[in-house]
Amino acid sequence: MMEAVQIRHRHLLDLEDWSASEIESLWRTTDAMMEVMQRKVKKVPSLQGFTVATLFFENSTRTRLSFERAAKVQSAEVLNFAAGGSSLSKGESLKDTLRTIDAMQADLYIVRHVAAGTPYQLSRWTDASIVNAGDGRRAHPTQALLDGYTFRRCFEGFDGFRGKRLTIVGDVMHSRVARSNISLWTKLGAEVVLCGPRTLLPAELEQYSGVRRCFRLEEAIEGAHAVMALRMQRERMQGGLFPSLAEYQARYQVTTKMMERAHPHAIVMHPGPMNRDVEIEGVLADSERSVIEEQVAHGVPVRMAVLYSLLVGRGR
Amino acid sequence: MRQVIKNARIWGVTGLAEKADLYFREGVIEGMGLGGEVDRVWDAKGALLAPAFIDLQTHLCEPGFEVREGLESGLKAAVAGGFGTVVMMPDTDPILDDPAQVAQIQAKASALGFAKLCPAGALSRGMQGEQLSDMWALREAGVVMVTDGTKAVKDGHLFRRACEYAAEVGLLVQGGSLDASLCQGGVMHEGRVSERLGLPGQPAIAERLALFRDAEIARQTGARVHFGPITTEESLLLALWLRERGAPISIATTPHHLLLSDESMASFDPRYKVSPPLRPPADVKALRKALTDGLFDCLSTDHQPWTLAEKELDLLQAPSGIGGLETAWAVLYTSLVVPRLMELDVLLRAWTQGPAKVMGWPTPKLEEGSPATMVLLDLDQARPVEEKQLASKARLSPWEGQMLCGWPVATFVEGRCSFLREENGLSREGFLGH
Amino acid sequence: MGLRWKKRLMDEGEINRAVNRMAHEIIERSASLKDVVLVGVHTRGIPLAEHLSKLIHHYEGLEVPVGKLDITLYRDDLTEIGVQPIVRRTEVPVDIHGRELVLCDDVIYTGRTVRAALDALMDLGRPSLIRLAVLVDRGHRELPIQADYVGRAIQTSRSEVIKVHFHSTDGEEGVDLLESES
């Protein structure tokens, strides 16, 4: 068992510079937060006196709500700034936008943006902590943390990530969830198999050791301990990335039948929002193998642990 | 007015240890060590005197985008960087496709009296790629080159006709070095780094394919076609192969493509977003070797100014391009010549004789009868790049804070001192009364 | 700043006798022993609670449930401190509503830990009463809080530190007095 270590990051921009033991420590804090979320009165004073601001330049009600809940359960003040492109389309630079919001004196910003790297840019211009809530195709670290946490809790007989296999199916190219999960699972010693049409699986992702591509679903699922289906967006058809939903469903839909090839205890995950019967068979999503509901439930405690870890101990 | 620059090491004339005095009168060089009455004495204190640099790809943004740059700020930046002549790209607003407008810009530039301005005109009307511009009239107004920018003209047919026409007019054409349809949405070089960073990429073949089409059209039509930044090893090899087969093409690259790689994008700093994009280290290495081996005809800055507000956006929205006139020489000198990766001669030629040859201009020399368009370079003293001190309005540099040496200390354009770095080792008195 | 060992205040036998007495006091004072829940504060309140529970079972034949309480999230210095306390899981196995709680900790000093623990307990439910059991009371209270069951009261100075060792957490049992060297 790994020793719990102090988490000494000011920001959570992506998982690349987080060590395996820091992630394990964060998950232990998450265990404690799970207990809080199981209480009748879900409120602790741990972040009293801190102010957290959500800066969503790209809309996402569920992620924002999950973070907001995580902050409020810990008694933090929460400010919401839905940029939604409005002020930026008027020609305000990113830096000026931040300067305006900085006047509100938040201790931490939760940032979502369509462009990769924006949380990095912002972190250079403010003293506040930054949590990346999804930037372009790059990273969605809290999603990967909650996916990994879900596997840790829900995989029957869990004994660590080493030797486990995660299969991610779908539009990996545009997926920050996939990139963050690749980073997390390979760091912890698991293997990641990427599956989907060749147009959506960039070869360069094999630069991560422990990652391989596989273009046939039945091979990709063989022996997998966890299978994650990614949301398939219709817009991708216009870009010439795949021909039709029918063809996609026929070859890449994760089904109950297909799951028979996986490890007997294999779990099925989906980062949501789900297109039922497109990337995942509806029956499978409701089956015992599915941990999709648990993923959603783990969102808040994981984000509570992230906020706690970044805010407490930074001193004033 | 007769002037003399004393105690200069004169490139191509004296040895590096040997100092001489160069006399010039009314903008023309008279010769060395002549003696006699002079109106003004400049003491070079051992600095290197070379013909002033020539840039074939500068964006000056006036008229239309004066918040980014203007003739005054841009031409000041040019002389501060040691450039005596710049070729201005036609992507202004309105686009430079009208002879009257060309004349106007030239009049304004010569009244300002910094670097000499040579406008490039649009290849097609409004750079729309549909109808040829009036190339004869543009040439008569002073245009030295026609181009629709570095993105390849969409319609191959139009580019072919433009080349045929320009060949007859005797104008150099700047070809495309990016196939826009392959670059869709890409903000950096497509490869390992872009996948890791989750940024949409532009495939390297976009450059090669554009080059291939335009160079083949040059070969077929006999038009002289110049290619702005060539940035990958593969497209370099292709250009050499085409040239060997008789394509009348010339190629250049830029300081940033010679010194920075796509790894810089890991900082998510829009400063590094340029077009063509920064390439992987292997390409950078190949470009440097090609420059050393004399395979590039010249260097150009691709000085592309943007305001801070425009550049300080996210990486999808931020525009491509970076200013570079002021640092171009010093950064290459410091990074390549000082550590002995490249001969001083090679670098000087790439900024002087190289571009003159591409343009078909007389070879710049420090000899009797040549124009006194010269730069004094202090090869020893180091000074940091300070964005806030730049003469250009584009106060962003990839080299912010870096200590560079080789800085120009004085730039003469046709005998007139247009730039002088006063805090330097030059005798201050010599410049009084200017 | 280091810590210098000064002397052993209690050995294993003395601890056993003190805890034994506290167990008897708890049995005596509780209105209804079957309603008692012992709640230990992480880390060294837990072995004390477990020890008490074992003794009560020994004397009365009754299983008194033991809960574990982590008070980190309730500390009053989280916005100021420069280190990050590790949060542990709170595990109270029974509904505390209407129960008689005995909050257990190794040492009572300023009273701030107990204040945080009381807040934490209130968030878990509404007990009928809460009493406090500590192995060592070293004085210097900063809040109006007193222990109901005390193993030993010891006069200390503020520069001194009391260190309690239990088998389950430290491999041996005893109470030491240390002095900080500045």
Side-chain angles (χ1 to χ4, degrees), chain C residues 112-144:
Chain C
R112 288 180 191 269
T113 303
V114 176
R115 195 280 312 158
L118 289 174
D119 281 352
L121 285 175
M122 296 303 189
D123 279 356
L124 296 180
R126 190 176 180 282
S128 64
L129 62 87
I130 302 176
R131 288 201 174 100
L132 176 62
V134 296
L135 185 60
V136 176
D137 179 350
R138 59 167 292 193
H140 303 289
R141 217 75 81 236
E142 292 168 3
L143 297 172

Side-chain angles (χ1 to χ4, degrees), chain A residues 16 92-95 113-118 120-121 124-125 137-138 179 202 204-205 207-208, chain B residues 190-193 195-201 266-270 309 312-317:
Chain A
E16 291 201 3
E92 186 174 63
S93 83
L94 199 56
K95 198 174 183 177
H113 202 287
V114 289
T118 309
Y120 277 78
Q121 292 174 280
R124 281 198 285 270
W125 299 327
R137 307 173 182 183
R138 177 177 173 79
R179 278 188 183 74
E204 288 83 0
L205 285 174
Q207 70 183 278
Y208 294 91
Chain B
E190 181 183 294
R192 291 169 62 95
V193 181
E195 275 317 320
R196 190 157 52 83
L197 302 182
L199 286 168
S267 64
F268 294 105
D269 188 335
E312 279 170 352
L313 291 174
D314 63 80
L315 282 161
L316 299 184
Q317 287 194 71

Side-chain angles (χ1 to χ4, degrees), chain B residues 348-391:
Chain B
L348 278 167
R349 272 200 301 272
W351 285 117
T352 56
Q353 297 163 358
K357 193 172 169 206
V358 168
M359 298 308 299
W361 295 338
T363 307
K365 275 184 272 193
L366 299 180
E367 282 177 10
E368 184 188 345
S370 293
T373 300
M374 310 171 287
V375 60
L376 262 178
L377 302 166
D378 181 346
L379 298 187
D380 303 317
Q381 202 181 343
R383 195 167 55 78
V385 177
E386 287 173 273
E387 288 171 343
K388 298 210 160 50
Q389 304 297 321
L390 295 177

Side-chain angles (χ1 to χ4, degrees), chain C:
Chain C
M1 194 181 75
L3 283 177
R4 189 170 52 84
W5 184 85
K6 273 175 97 172
K7 64 177 172 192
R8 176 140 282 199
L9 298 171
M10 296 171 86
D11 61 18
E12 188 170 350
E14 288 168 303
I15 290 180
N16 281 336
R17 282 192 289 282
V19 177
N20 215 356
R21 175 173 48 75
M22 288 162 76
H24 282 295
E25 287 173 9
I26 292 169
I27 295 166
E28 222 172 278
R29 283 188 63 181
S30 73
S32 156
L33 201 55
K34 67 176 189 345
D35 286 333
V36 170
V37 180
L38 295 160
V39 179
V41 177
H42 265 292
T43 303
R44 289 181 186 76
I46 295 167
L48 177 64
E50 279 164 350
H51 198 163
L52 288 167
S53 171
K54 216 176 290 168
L55 290 170
I56 294 170
H57 181 249
H58 177 76
Y59 295 120
E60 299 293 313
L62 203 77
E63 290 285 357
V64 179
V66 173
K68 300 172 181 174
L69 187 69
D70 186 77
I71 56 106
T72 310
L73 298 175
Y74 294 84
R75 282 173 61 153
D76 59 8
D77 55 355
L78 290 179
T79 49
E80 275 112 47
I81 50 176
V83 292
Q84 187 176 105
I86 290 165
V87 190
R88 294 181 193 78
R89 214 181 144 82
T90 288
E91 288 164 277
V92 179
V94 291
D95 184 0
I96 62 168
H97 187 86
R99 305 286 288 256
E100 280 183 36
L101 299 195
V102 179
L103 183 65
C104 306
D105 204 358
D106 55 346
V107 179
I108 184 165
Y109 180 32
T110 61
R112 288 180 191 269
T113 303
V114 176
R115 195 280 312 158
L118 289 174
D119 281 352
L121 285 175
M122 296 303 189
D123 279 356
L124 296 180
R126 190 176 180 282
S128 64
L129 62 87
I130 302 176
R131 288 201 174 100
L132 176 62
V134 296
L135 185 60
V136 176
D137 179 350
R138 59 167 292 193
H140 303 289
R141 217 75 81 236
E142 292 168 3
L143 297 172
I145 287 171
Q146 298 306 331
D148 302 279
Y149 313 106
V150 179
R152 183 181 291 183
I154 296 168
Q155 293 278 334
T156 59
S157 79
R158 280 181 182 275
S159 63
E160 287 169 328
V161 172
I162 300 275
K163 184 89 184 92
V164 176
H165 304 266
F166 286 116
H167 283 301
S168 58
T169 50
D170 311 279
E172 57 130 359
E173 212 137 315
V175 178
D176 288 341
L177 182 69
L178 296 88
E179 172 125 51
S180 55
E181 299 166 326
S182 44

Side-chain angles (χ1 to χ4, degrees), chain A:
Chain A
M1 204 61 174
M2 263 181 285
E3 271 299 299
V5 295
Q6 284 243 339
I7 294 171
R8 292 210 171 272
H9 293 280
R10 202 155 74 91
H11 309 293
L12 175 59
L13 301 175
D14 59 38
L15 295 171
E16 291 201 3
D17 54 351
W18 282 57
S19 69
S21 45
E22 284 172 325
I23 289 165
E24 176 59 29
S25 292
L26 189 105
W27 282 340
R28 287 201 206 169
T29 306
T30 306
D31 287 334
M33 299 304 183
M34 282 286 284
E35 182 270 322
V36 173
M37 289 309 289
Q38 282 153 4
R39 295 181 190 170
K40 228 180 273 164
V41 180
K42 298 167 181 52
K43 189 102 174 169
V44 290
S46 43
L47 298 184
Q48 202 156 43
F50 287 107
T51 304
V52 163
T54 61
L55 250 62
F56 276 48
F57 295 95
E58 178 190 79
N59 228 348
S60 168
T61 310
R62 15 173 111 207
T63 307
R64 189 178 55 75
L65 277 178
S66 177
F67 270 108
E68 196 173 332
R69 180 88 168 122
K72 285 184 171 165
V73 167
Q74 295 187 86
S75 309
E77 285 287 329
V78 180
L79 306 171
N80 284 311
F81 180 81
S86 58
S87 62
L88 284 174
S89 51
K90 283 185 219 137
E92 186 174 63
S93 83
L94 199 56
K95 198 174 183 177
D96 287 338
T97 308
L98 182 70
R99 218 172 270 150
T100 314
I101 301 162
D102 246 354
M104 314 285 174
Q105 300 192 352
D107 300 288
L108 180 144
Y109 294 118
I110 296 155
V111 180
R112 168 166 292 207
H113 202 287
V114 289
T118 309
Y120 277 78
Q121 292 174 280
L122 296 177
S123 72
R124 281 198 285 270
W125 299 327
T126 177
D127 294 330
S129 292
I130 305 267
V131 174
N132 183 355
D135 64 331
R137 307 173 182 183
R138 177 177 173 79
H140 192 354
T142 57
Q143 178 71 42
L145 285 169
L146 76 88
D147 292 339
Y149 184 75
T150 302
F151 183 72
R152 183 177 174 267
R153 276 184 83 96
C154 300
F155 183 78
E156 200 185 317
F158 175 80
D159 58 353
F161 282 80
R162 202 154 292 281
K164 300 296 189 301
R165 181 184 302 161
L166 166 69
T167 298
I168 304 178
V169 187
D171 180 5
V172 173
M173 174 151 89
H174 296 94
S175 174
R176 51 190 167 219
V177 175
R179 278 188 183 74
S180 277
N181 270 295
I182 287 172
S183 180
L184 179 87
W185 291 63
T186 55
K187 196 187 293 282
L188 298 175
E191 182 196 6
V192 179
V193 178
L194 307 174
C195 181
R198 200 176 270 268
T199 44
L200 295 172
L201 295 189
E204 288 83 0
L205 285 174
E206 290 184 340
Q207 70 183 278
Y208 294 91
S209 68
V211 175
R212 65 183 168 88
R213 295 184 302 163
C214 185
F215 304 101
R216 287 174 192 281
L217 188 60
E218 55 273 28
E219 287 168 26
I221 284 188
E222 196 74 52
H225 300 86
V227 177
M228 182 182 295
L230 298 174
R231 181 176 167 78
M232 176 46 73
Q233 284 172 313
R234 282 164 189 279
E235 304 94 83
R236 305 294 177 224
M237 282 187 282
Q238 265 85 58
L241 291 167
F242 73 101
S244 69
L245 280 184
E247 183 146 316
Y248 181 83
Q249 272 162 260
R251 300 197 57 88
Y252 298 106
Q253 187 184 84
V254 181
T255 61
T256 313
K257 181 115 185 51
M258 204 54 92
M259 285 303 291
E260 286 169 11
R261 293 169 173 268
H263 185 277
H265 298 156
I267 57 169
V268 176
M269 298 197 271
H270 192 296
M274 170 168 68
N275 293 313
R276 211 170 254 277
D277 292 317
V278 179
E279 65 265 4
I280 184 168
E281 187 189 13
V283 192
L284 177 63
D286 301 330
S287 73
E288 276 194 358
R289 280 191 187 277
S290 164
V291 294
I292 298 171
E293 272 175 37
E294 284 83 349
Q295 285 175 278
V296 178
H298 294 157
V300 175
V302 162
R303 288 173 177 125
M304 285 169 75
V306 167
L307 297 179
Y308 175 86
S309 302
L310 296 181
L311 285 171
V312 174
R314 69 206 286 267
R316 278 272 176 92

